[in-house]
Amino acid sequence: MKGPKDDLLNPTDQPAPAVRGRATLPKPLTSKVLQRLLYFSEERGLPITEAVADEKPKANRRRSATAALSVEGPPEVVSSYAQALVDAALALQPALVEPAETENGESEPTAAIKTLSGPSLSPPTGFGPQWRFLGPTMMSNGQTYGESRVVVSGRIAAIAVDPSNANHILCGAASGGIWESFNRGTSWSPRTDYAATLTVGALAFNPSAPATVYCGTGEGNFYAWLGAGLLRSTNGGSTWTMHATAPFVGQGFYDLLVDPANGNHLLAATTHGIYESTDGGTAWTLRRSGRCWDLAAHPSGGATAEVLAGCQSGLFRSTNGGQTWAAVALPGGPTAYDRLAVAISRTNPAVAYAYGAAGTTLFLYRRASTGTWARITGPAGLSTGQAWYDWFLAVAPDTDSEIYLGAIEAYRGNLSGSTWTWVTISNKTGDDIHPDQHAITFDPTNANIVYVGNDGGLFVSPNRGTSWTSLNNGLGITEIEYMAQDYGSSRWLMAGTQDNGSIRYTGNPAWDHIADGDGGDCGVHRTDPNVVFHSYYSMGMERSTTRGNFGSFGWIGPNVPDGYNALFYPPMEATNDTVAQAGQSVYISRNRGTNWTEVALPAGQVASAMYIPNPDTVFVGTTTGQVYRISWFGTAWSSATALTTPRASAYVSDLHVNPANLNRIWATSTSLSGDRVFRSDNGGSTWVNCTAGLPNLPITAVEVDPGNANRVWVAADVGVYQSLNAGASWSAFANGLPNALAVDLLYHPHARVLRVGMRNRGVWEIPVDGWLAAPICGVQWNGSLAPNQTHRWFTHSWPATWHIIWTIMPTSPLPGAPQVSWKVQVERASAEFVTYWISVTNHTGSPVSFEGRYAILSFY
């Protein structure tokens, strides 16, 4: 999906100016999706997939891209990572947790109540604090390439409609699990939150027994590494079990076929090849090796049915149900494809189509009833640049002369005689849908009704793509990248999302879309939370002074030279007026991004993490394991001072520094295997390895309780984990949390909730000590009043998020008429704290002594 940076691209790919401002910033010279895939793989040290190995890196791309593209990678690296994900997910099973003793505070404004501590595991148990979904349930004002805005959710990779009940729909999010609807997508329920993996590549009902449904895990388009096997449901998709792991752990699915004539006969298209099962998916045999994207079978099925396969090495055909395969020569076709899709007409199976891409060339073919393949002209403007990622082909169920093509946009083609007419159905006059198309299917009872899944979610057309309705209300599958918070509000967050811009939470599970494009890192000015910052991909950011209202952001840089090396999402931080963003150097501003100072990093270093504990200190971690400190000396920033390295050559994924004690530093790593969590108690001179007790998975984020420096949380590719003893031991802290990728953590110290941003499962939160079960009551002050006197008291430094009731109680109560009355006024003393002004009136002719009592009803 493009964003504002892409609106002013140089179409001739001429060199950019030496220094770029917002108006001339180009998109990456390779596709943004590829950049994100490389970013994900490099973070974890995973080999890049063959699907993109031929898309050669060019100048001005992020560090190590050339190396990443050249690595085929040992398969054991992928399988061990995938198995570690499975093991971690299986470990997060229900376990009873005994509540700890309650601890009440009586008089101080910061009094706390701790109702529960200790481990908490998912799925939800009956004990302990539990995670709950914060949203977004949908995002209105979503971006398209057309004239209209739409309601969006996140990336859909697969769709299946129950052949026996058109109201019953299943869809699969890229890494957000399977979702089910019984009312044609009006409402949704997640069905696999606690499966071994939430990645989905393919869904298929058994046509002859639709209560049986299969799901191929591992999204072939992107998250192929996370595949854990084949899931099966025997109740139409409401519950699922792992049906077959071998040989699919570490593979990604693209397609699944269930033979309509024999429900025990299945074919699978994966990143590793074509597989066949003859026992209902329990055991599988590799029938053809090499990446296969798409399968199409004769609608009647059977042991002698024709099956077509779109593979990296071309089109293949089987005439025995998929047991053996023969190459089909397509006239003028390439020797290898970036993507190839196939389809057989239901109404006339002699007619078939193949739709492929190689480089910038589109290859579209039709097989006539005579059996001859002929190349046809596709729609003008169709882009093949992301064919490896977004691509679909379908033939209308009621005619062999109408087809649908998906790429970045979606198209409908109609054949009349020998002439094809093409219509763009995703970007047009009127209602549009999000770009980047991944999946298509039809209503089994009405060929006019078309469902399409893309990076923005799920959409339905009642008239073959002429108009569209979003089906994203309640589909909680947004892919969160980064989060930022307002410390003065428990109900305000902003987040960057994959291909759905930057978004904002203001207490409603339906979040606001506040900026277009790809949402990257973001930040909030702590003492003036009206000032917020967000970034896209690559260097530079925008600033809003109205809490991120849509249209209020303006570009502030930093503007970097051409060829500057940075991650796809460069780290950025904001603390009061100090804002920083880093790539091969660190750009720091002390006036909210109006002016920037560049601080060099040693040659070859690229920033991957950053933390600003106070406005005068910046810590930076790099992709090769180094950590640096930069300090303000009153008139200038120091050079980057190297601390000792927690782990050489390990990707630093996150940093945390105690603002009250700069010697206490935490560093985490996403590098596979080895040590991944470190603590320093002496400012980075030495490090303590704190990895023991954590699963063998990438650690993506770390957060620390500012009220208890020994209480630490880390996020992993599966799960969140807690330590109560500064990392000496860890326990799962995932009660009710889906097994999706957890990529960012925020702790709100006043509301006492921990938030986690997840890939394709939105934002979740947990009260770290449980919700306040009973009011915390105490006496804040004692006062006295002369006869009939009115006087005002104030009490300050109460967190603005707390809900408090004030009561005035005479120490010597008398029967009869009221002795006192009081009025409470609230002053917002700062961005985080409030002052209560309490006016008390003595209604008697005698002196009155009283207590000023408070009751804290909630921290949230």
Side-chain angles (χ1 to χ4, degrees), residues 295-321:
L295 297 167
H298 191 286
S300 63
T304 60
E306 178 191 44
V307 187
L308 298 179
C311 301
Q312 194 161 15
S313 51
L315 177 65
F316 288 82
R317 181 173 183 259
S318 172
T319 56
N320 52 16

Side-chain angles (χ1 to χ4, degrees), residues 95-456:
L96 298 182
V97 182
E98 295 299 327
E101 293 183 1
T102 299
E103 177 182 293
N104 284 342
E106 292 298 330
S107 60
E108 296 298 324
T110 57
I113 180 169
K114 295 183 179 179
T115 58
L116 292 168
S117 61
S120 52
L121 307 173
S122 64
T125 70
F127 302 98
Q130 296 183 9
W131 291 89
R132 69 179 185 183
F133 182 56
L134 198 63
T137 54
M138 67 174 198
M139 298 167 287
S140 57
N141 196 43
Q143 188 181 6
T144 71
Y145 285 174
E147 299 175 346
S148 63
R149 294 271 172 170
V150 294
V151 173
V152 295
S153 56
R155 184 157 90 249
I156 290 292
I159 318 165
V161 182
D162 189 334
S164 65
N165 178 6
N167 293 319
H168 181 210
I169 306 173
L170 300 176
C171 68
S175 58
I178 302 168
W179 292 70
E180 185 176 31
S181 173
F182 290 100
N183 50 21
R184 294 178 179 263
T186 301
S187 61
W188 295 95
S189 297
R191 296 309 190 197
T192 56
D193 275 351
Y194 310 114
T197 178
L198 268 64
T199 55
V200 177
L203 287 166
F205 281 92
N206 180 348
S208 57
T212 298
V213 199
Y214 297 93
C215 170
T217 67
E219 184 210 16
N221 291 328
F222 196 95
Y223 289 115
W225 297 294
L226 279 62
L230 183 78
L231 300 175
R232 186 181 70 170
S233 172
T234 57
N235 54 15
S238 293
T239 60
W240 296 80
T241 58
M242 183 59 69
H243 189 56
T245 52
F248 299 123
V249 174
Q251 295 192 37
F253 275 76
Y254 289 106
D255 200 7
L256 268 172
L257 284 183
V258 183
D259 192 333
N262 178 4
N264 288 320
H265 182 215
L266 285 76
L267 294 174
T270 80
T271 50
H272 286 45
I274 303 171
Y275 293 85
E276 182 183 29
S277 172
T278 58
D279 60 1
T282 301
W284 293 83
T285 301
L286 179 65
R287 295 304 188 190
R288 189 182 185 281
S289 62
R291 188 179 302 273
C292 179
W293 293 292
D294 203 13
L295 297 167
H298 191 286
S300 63
T304 60
E306 178 191 44
V307 187
L308 298 179
C311 301
Q312 194 161 15
S313 51
L315 177 65
F316 288 82
R317 181 173 183 259
S318 172
T319 56
N320 52 16
Q323 292 186 47
T324 59
W325 297 86
V328 176
L330 295 174
T335 56
Y337 288 86
D338 297 332
R339 189 67 167 245
L340 183 62
V342 292
I344 295 176
S345 171
R346 297 185 199 175
T347 56
N348 183 6
V351 174
Y353 294 86
Y355 165 53
T360 59
T361 304
L362 171 66
F363 294 91
L364 182 59
Y365 299 91
R366 184 177 193 265
R367 185 182 69 185
S369 299
T370 60
T372 302
W373 290 90
R375 191 170 176 182
I376 59 178
T377 301
L382 187 150
S383 173
T384 62
Q386 294 182 172
W388 63 272
Y389 171 72
D390 41 33
W391 205 251
F392 69 61
L393 166 66
V395 186
D398 58 348
T399 175
D400 64 13
S401 60
E402 179 174 277
I403 62 173
Y404 295 82
L405 307 180
I408 294 174
E409 298 284 12
Y411 306 86
R412 185 185 69 237
N414 292 93
L415 175 63
S416 177
S418 60
T419 302
W420 283 92
T421 301
W422 295 98
V423 177
T424 305
I425 58 175
S426 56
N427 172 9
K428 53 191 171 28
T429 301
D431 53 343
D432 304 292
I433 61 175
H434 197 283
D436 301 331
Q437 315 304 323
H438 298 292
I440 185 171
T441 195
F442 299 89
D443 184 293
T445 62
N446 186 344
N448 293 312
I449 300 175
V450 185
Y451 296 92
V452 164
N454 51 46
D455 274 9

Side-chain angles (χ1 to χ4, degrees), residues 610-636:
M610 189 158 48
Y611 197 84
I612 305 180
N614 61 56
D616 297 330
T617 313
V618 179
F619 287 82
V620 179
T622 74
T623 58
T624 53
Q626 279 71 37
V627 179
Y628 298 91
R629 175 173 172 166
I630 304 169
S631 302
W632 176 254
F633 286 146
T635 58

